[in-house]
């Protein structure tokens, strides 16, 4: 049966058919949970209550901190979460549905929320913490390369023999005594 036959025999378009036909999984529809990626409510999650036209929707998020408002689809990123609600659902009823489905917990456990939390944490790092992350990355790369070399059967590189140290002048001795070994293995459990 070709697509034209299926369309002509089907009286209404159901979501499952559209999903099979187009391969999309996230449709703009009442009950779709979305992430606001621009504007005053940036970073908040809302629920699409009604589709106004092809570019704007009515959203609401009573327990999520988003007031009922019309917002452009360009400012939304659709998530996989979908609530079973009627078009134009009232704020009080939507609040009950959100609590019943435990939406806040589901969104907090999603990989998307974890990625956003990691981005936020990364943006809040100060200069020294960024340096610590860089050093940890170096240590990790060194250990991984060492393990890979051992797995391949190669011997790890040995440092060349050092020449005997000569007596240092006063200023050189001062710097050598105050040298901090930045490459010593240190655990940064708070990162």
């Amino acid at each position: 049966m070709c697509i034209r036959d299926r369309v002509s025999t089907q009286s209404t378009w159901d979501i499952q058919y559209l999903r099979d036909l187009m391969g999309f999984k996230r449709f703009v529809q009442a009950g779709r949970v979305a992430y606001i990626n621009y504007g005053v409510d940036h970073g908040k999650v809302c629920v699409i209550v009604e589709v106004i036209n092809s570019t704007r929707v009515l959203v609401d998020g009573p327990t999520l901190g988003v007031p009922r408002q019309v917002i452009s689809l360009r400012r939304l990123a659709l998530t996989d979460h979908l609530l079973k609600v009627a078009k134009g659902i009232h704020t009080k009823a939507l609040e009950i549905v959100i609590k019943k489905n435990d939406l806040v917990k589901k969104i907090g456990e999603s990989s998307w929320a974890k990625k956003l939390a990691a981005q936020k944490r990364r943006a809040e790092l100060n200069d020294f913490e960024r340096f610590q992350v860089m050093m940890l990355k170096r240590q990790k790369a060194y250990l991984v390369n060492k393990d890979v070399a051992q797995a391949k059967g190669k011997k790890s590189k040995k440092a060349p023999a050092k020449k005997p140290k000569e007596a240092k002048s006063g200023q050189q001795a001062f710097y050598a005594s105050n040298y901090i070994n930045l490459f010593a293995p240190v655990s940064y459990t708070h990162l």
Side-chain angles (χ1 to χ4, degrees):
M1 178 185 282
C2 73
I3 294 173
R4 266 184 287 144
D5 295 337
R6 173 100 187 244
V7 171
S8 63
T9 58
Q10 189 173 5
S11 59
T12 59
W13 287 81
D14 63 333
I15 298 297
Q16 186 63 38
Y17 172 67
L18 289 174
R19 185 176 290 137
D20 294 341
L21 177 68
M22 294 185 276
F24 296 129
K25 295 180 181 175
R26 300 174 184 166
F27 293 101
V28 178
Q29 59 188 359
R32 176 67 62 186
V33 179
Y35 171 79
I36 300 175
N37 57 22
Y38 185 81
V40 178
D41 295 319
H42 172 72
K44 295 181 182 177
V45 178
C46 62
V47 178
I48 296 176
V49 175
E50 191 162 352
V51 178
I52 296 172
N53 58 27
S54 63
T55 60
R56 296 184 310 152
V57 292
L58 178 66
V59 298
D60 197 0
T63 58
L64 308 169
V66 179
R68 192 174 186 102
Q69 59 185 317
V70 175
I71 194 166
S72 173
L73 285 173
R74 290 183 180 190
R75 296 183 178 210
L76 293 178
L78 302 177
T79 66
D80 289 332
H81 301 288
L82 179 66
L83 301 177
K84 292 187 178 181
V85 296
K87 276 186 181 180
I89 187 170
H90 294 285
T91 303
K92 294 285 184 186
L94 182 62
E95 187 174 350
I96 293 168
V97 171
I98 289 173
K99 286 181 181 176
K100 179 181 154 193
N101 289 318
D102 203 16
L103 183 65
V104 176
K105 183 181 176 189
K106 285 181 183 176
I107 289 176
E109 292 173 351
S110 68
S111 60
W112 197 354
K114 290 175 184 175
K115 183 180 89 168
L116 291 172
Q119 285 177 351
K120 184 179 177 186
R121 172 72 177 113
R122 212 59 189 276
E124 292 173 352
L125 293 179
N126 62 26
D127 188 41
F128 183 65
E129 289 170 336
R130 281 193 297 275
F131 172 76
Q132 288 175 330
V133 169
M134 181 186 72
M135 300 306 336
L136 288 172
K137 279 185 176 180
R138 279 189 186 178
Q139 288 178 359
K140 178 183 170 187
Y142 172 76
L143 293 173
V144 167
N145 290 337
K146 184 177 169 183
D147 289 344
V148 169
Q150 286 177 354
K152 286 183 177 180
K154 297 179 182 177
K155 293 182 179 178
S156 61
K157 294 181 183 178
K158 291 185 179 179
K162 293 184 179 180
K163 296 178 184 177
K165 293 185 179 181
E166 299 175 11
K168 296 182 179 180
S169 67
Q171 189 175 15
Q172 288 176 338
F174 172 77
Y175 287 123
S177 66
N178 291 324
Y179 174 72
I180 299 172
N181 188 0
L182 297 175
F183 299 99
V186 180
S187 67
Y188 299 106
T189 56
H190 65 281
L191 290 179

